[in-house]
Amino acid sequence: MNSVSRQSSDNSVGQMFSRIAPVYDKLNHILSFGMDFFWRGRLAGMVDKKKQLQILDLAAGTGDLLIALLRKNPNIIEAVGLDISENMLAVCRKKITRYNLTERVNLICSDVNACGLSDNMFDVVTMGFGIRNTPDSFKTLTEIFRLLKEGGSVLILEFSIPSNWMLRFFYLLYLRFYVPFIGRIISGDKEAYGYLNSSIEKFYNREEFSSLMREAGFQNVITLPLTFGIVCIYKGSKTNM
Ligand SMILES: C[S@@+](CC[C@H](N)C(=O)[O-])C[C@H]1O[C@@H](n2cnc3c(N)ncnc32)[C@H](O)[C@@H]1O
């Protein structure tokens, strides 16, 4: 496993993730009642199994999506995990070693939008719960488009707000009260888990985000809402057909 650092300006979001890195996984599992394993597994199962792949996992964090992808898809011969927070990547590095995946993984510490990787490098680009945290989702999507090979696919997993009014009501109660309360108790970081709920509420709805993907150049855009629509997988392809 190679590790490269292109970290120039860890922004405030990156610094926040660096602070909560030691408790990030535990809190994820507690706050999602363990459903985060299922969500990442669903995305990992959507990767093409028929050919050898080079993939890039953006905002890889502590590596749970990257690991699910590698374990479910032996045809991934090379994976790059990129994240702006070195502390999150330090947790990821340990897990990659524990799962014996070091031969297939390189980690890069960098901002998504200043990664310095060449055009058309990857068959698949994934991003789990990351695009909401970048300052400009459209810019990130165009960067993903640039990094994908012709014919490649993007798979994005992100929170969304259920469209059914009753589900939305209970979900907002959970987001506004339960998440910041439990998050603060376990992490001791009031800002981080207040930020989590506000960033989810401010993020695009499914239709808006699909349109943004099309605007960035992706075709065959599909959405797969999971768990009553509280998260969604977005898939799109880079094709000139
Ligand atoms: C909610 S975590 C998701 C981690 C992982 N993908 C998962 O499924 O658990 C979001 C990650 O995005 C990273 N991040 C935020 N802004 C970023 C940026 N501009 N460039 C690269 N990574 C960024 C954070 O450091 C953090 O690790």
Side-chain angles (χ1 to χ4, degrees), residues 18-179:
S18 285
R19 289 200 305 274
I20 61 166
V23 292
Y24 175 82
D25 284 343
K26 185 173 159 192
L27 260 167
N28 249 352
H29 309 328
I30 292 174
L31 292 175
S32 73
F33 304 102
M35 283 184 295
D36 59 317
F37 291 108
F38 161 72
W39 298 330
R40 294 190 187 89
R42 275 305 291 274
L43 186 151
M46 289 170 74
V47 168
D48 183 0
K49 308 252 178 307
K50 293 192 198 104
K51 56 173 188 172
Q52 295 198 328
L53 301 173
Q54 288 171 304
I55 70 152
L56 169 66
D57 184 38
L58 292 173
T62 57
D64 278 357
L65 179 58
L66 186 59
I67 290 165
L69 285 158
L70 287 160
R71 295 185 81 196
K72 231 179 183 143
N73 301 286
N75 56 323
I76 297 176
I77 50 165
E78 194 186 338
V80 174
L82 181 147
D83 199 280
I84 201 167
S85 159
E86 179 46 50
N87 289 4
M88 293 290 274
L89 286 180
V91 178
C92 176
R93 201 170 289 118
K94 281 193 192 139
K95 284 154 68 178
I96 295 284
T97 305
R98 200 186 321 137
Y99 282 104
N100 248 329
L101 296 168
T102 47
E103 301 277 291
R104 293 156 74 199
V105 179
N106 293 310
L107 296 179
I108 300 180
C109 188
S110 162
D111 189 318
V112 167
N113 291 310
C115 67
L117 295 167
S118 315
D119 297 359
N120 309 315
M121 270 187 84
F122 299 96
D123 301 290
V124 179
V125 176
T126 57
M127 196 165 190
F129 307 113
I131 197 152
R132 176 177 43 87
N133 296 297
T134 63
D136 181 343
S137 301
F138 182 70
K139 190 169 175 210
T140 305
L141 286 170
T142 55
E143 183 64 0
I144 294 173
F145 193 83
R146 180 185 75 76
L147 293 165
L148 274 174
K149 290 179 191 170
E150 206 61 55
S153 326
V154 60
L155 283 160
I156 292 173
L157 177 63
E158 195 47 91
F159 289 108
S160 76
I161 306 281
S163 29
N164 175 288
W165 71 267
M166 209 194 303
L167 287 172
R168 188 166 60 235
F169 175 77
F170 286 109
Y171 183 57
L172 289 176
L173 283 182
Y174 156 86
L175 267 187
R176 289 176 187 174
F177 300 102
Y178 178 79
V179 168

